[in-house]
Amino acid sequence: MLRTAVIGCGIRGSGVYMPVLRKMNRHFRLAAVCDGVPERADAAASRFGAKSFHNVEEMLDKCRPDLAVVAVTPPPSHENAAVALQVLSAGIHLFAETPIAPSLEEADRIIALVESKGLKVEMGENYYRTPRERFNHALLESGVFGPVHVVYSDFVGHGYHGIALLRSYVGFNVAVERVIGLTNEFAVEMHLYRPGEPTRDKETWQFGVLEFHNGAKGVFSFSTLSYGSPLRWGREKCQLRFYAARGMGAGPDLAILEDARITRPIKVRIKSASVEGQSTIAAFLSDLPGSPGWENPLRRYPLVSGDQHSELTIGLQLLSIYNAITNGTEPEYGVLQARRDRQLDLAMSHSWSRNGEPVSGDFEA
C-alpha cells in the first residue's frame, strides 16, 4: 500500500482524486493533503482522515509520502509543473495533471530529475483511458481492425488532449512528421454559456491535422462552445471515428469486413458487478470469436464508471502509477509521452498563429 499525499484541495483534488484514493484502500492510503488555502486543506483532511498541510515543502519533509498526486491550478498558470518539480526534487514518485509543463525546456528539467533520481511519473492524460476507450484499444491491439489509417476526433478534447487521443489510435510508437493547425473566430447569437459565467457572442473553432510517418492521418475539431453551450451539442454528442485496414468505428459503433463484401457490426456485451452497493463495470466483451475485449482490473472496487473524469477512469490511471512503483513497470503515460504531446501541441499553436502554415520537426515517437 502506498502512502499518498494530494497537493491541491480544489475541485480536482477533493472532488476527484481523494474519493478514488479512499475507495482504492488496498492500493493507497491517503496520508496527507496540502493546499495554500488553509480552510480548504483542513476541510479535506477532516473529510478524508488525512493530515493537513498548508505548505508543500513542509508536507514533503514531514510526511515523506511514497506518492504525491498534484492537482493544482491547470493552464494558463501551469502551477502544476512548478509543484511537480518540488515533488521530484524531494525524491518522491509523482502523479500529475497534464500538460507536463508550459515549455519544452521545463519539461526537460522534469525528465532530467525523473531519470537522475530513478522516479516513476504518471501523467493524468485521461481521454484515451476511459473504460470504453480501453475496450476499443484492446481490440486494436489484438489485430481485429488492422492498422488505423485515419482517425477523427470531433469535440473529444482539443489541443493536448486531442493530440494524445489521435496518437493512441495510430500508435504512440508511430512518429508524427508534420502538424497543421487552423483556427477561426465567428460571431454567434448572444447566449448564456454556463450558469454563473458571462454571456458569449463569439465562438472560436480549432482544427488540427497530424501526419504520421506511416502515412496515417489524425484530425480533430473543437469549438470553445463545445462543453456547456446550449448552442452546441455537449459531451453526449462528442464522437471519435476511425478507419482501419479491416474495419472502422464511429462512437460506440464498431464494425469489420466479413466475407469481403459485408459490413459486420461488432456487438458489445457489458458485464456489470455490484460492489458495496455500487454498480461498476466488470468487463467489455465482443461477440467476435474468442470474445476479445477488456476486463476491468479494478472490478472489486466500487468505482463509478463513465467518461474521462469518472472514478473508474481516474482509478485506472492511479493503478498504472501503483504498478510502476511497486512492480518496476513503466507508467502507461509517462514523461516522455507527455513531452511529445506537449511538443506537438505547441507546434499546432504555432501553425494556428501562422494561418495554417505546416510545422515539420523532430517529432520522434
Side-chain angles (χ1 to χ4, degrees):
M1 185 182 298
L2 297 180
R3 293 178 67 256
T4 305
V6 175
I7 302 170
C9 300
I11 294 174
R12 298 288 288 172
S14 61
V16 177
Y17 291 109
M18 294 181 203
V20 173
L21 288 164
R22 179 166 61 182
K23 286 187 176 183
M24 294 179 66
N25 54 19
R26 293 185 294 278
H27 290 80
F28 304 98
R29 181 170 72 83
L30 185 57
V33 298
C34 182
D35 198 287
V37 179
E39 297 80 8
R40 204 155 59 185
D42 295 347
S46 176
R47 177 183 171 192
F48 292 98
K51 189 167 183 180
S52 176
F53 289 91
H54 310 146
N55 177 276
V56 174
E57 186 176 353
E58 180 188 12
M59 186 273 291
L60 295 174
D61 180 57
K62 291 184 176 180
C63 179
R64 294 302 302 173
D66 301 309
L67 170 69
V69 174
V70 175
V72 297
T73 308
S77 74
H78 289 286
E79 186 182 343
N80 55 326
V83 177
L85 284 167
Q86 275 188 280
V87 170
L88 296 170
S89 296
I92 293 168
H93 301 293
L94 172 71
F95 181 103
E97 294 273 277
T98 57
I100 183 172
S103 68
L104 296 183
E105 291 76 17
E106 194 163 1
D108 288 338
R109 287 200 293 274
I110 290 174
I111 292 170
L113 266 176
V114 171
E115 293 177 345
S116 66
K117 291 180 175 289
L119 297 170
K120 299 292 185 179
V121 176
E122 181 80 37
M123 300 301 300
E125 178 51 45
N126 50 356
Y127 277 71
Y128 79 96
R129 295 199 278 186
T130 66
R132 184 71 201 213
E133 286 295 333
R134 288 182 182 271
F135 169 70
N136 285 3
H137 285 78
L139 295 189
L140 282 166
E141 291 165 11
S142 69
V144 167
F145 299 104
V148 172
H149 298 155
V150 178
V151 55
Y152 294 92
S153 175
D154 185 24
F155 284 17
V156 190
H158 66 299
Y160 188 97
H161 296 303
I163 287 167
L165 187 59
L166 296 175
R167 288 184 64 226
S168 74
Y169 272 81
V170 176
F172 282 122
N173 62 332
V174 182
V176 173
E177 292 191 335
R178 194 164 70 146
V179 178
I180 301 170
L182 292 168
T183 185
N184 213 89
E185 185 177 86
F186 299 94
V188 297
E189 185 173 343
M190 179 76 75
H191 66 286
L192 180 65
Y193 175 62
R194 287 174 178 163
E197 294 192 16
T199 55
R200 296 193 183 186
D201 62 357
K202 290 183 175 58
E203 172 184 35
T204 300
W205 277 86
Q206 300 171 342
F207 300 90
V209 179
L210 302 183
E211 296 185 331
F212 292 84
H213 180 71
N214 64 356
K217 302 292 187 289
V219 182
F220 77 77
S221 60
F222 189 83
S223 159
T224 52
L225 298 183
S226 293
Y227 300 154
S229 170
L231 191 61
R232 297 288 177 260
W233 300 118
R235 292 183 186 273
E236 70 276 3
K237 295 288 186 179
C238 298
Q239 189 179 75
L240 183 136
R241 292 173 289 140
F242 69 91
Y243 299 92
R246 291 195 289 274
M248 56 192 169
D253 300 318
L254 305 173
I256 56 172
L257 181 66
E258 188 171 78
D259 296 332
R261 60 187 178 85
I262 299 171
T263 302
R264 194 273 204 199
I266 298 174
K267 295 180 181 179
V268 181
R269 181 167 64 94
I270 302 176
K271 290 180 63 177
S272 298
S274 180
V275 183
E276 299 175 20
Q278 172 65 53
S279 177
T280 190
I281 290 174
F284 278 90
L285 300 175
S286 71
D287 67 340
L288 297 170
S291 300
W294 174 77
E295 187 175 81
N296 176 16
L298 298 177
R299 58 192 176 277
R300 292 182 176 84
Y301 284 124
L303 298 173
V304 179
S305 180
D307 65 9
Q308 60 267 26
H309 304 297
S310 72
E311 289 184 342
L312 182 52
T313 299
I314 299 301
L316 291 165
Q317 295 173 76
L318 290 168
L319 179 62
S320 174
I321 188 63
Y322 174 88
N323 287 335
I325 295 169
T326 60
N327 301 329
T329 58
E330 288 303 310
E332 285 181 339
Y333 190 88
V335 289
L336 296 181
Q337 290 286 23
R339 185 196 187 278
R340 292 181 192 114
D341 285 339
R342 184 58 173 156
Q343 181 186 22
L344 291 166
D345 182 30
L346 292 171
M348 192 160 295
S349 295
H350 182 79
S351 181
W352 284 336
S353 69
R354 294 176 179 265
N355 199 30
E357 178 183 314
V359 177
S360 301
D362 181 18
F363 305 129
E364 290 298 319

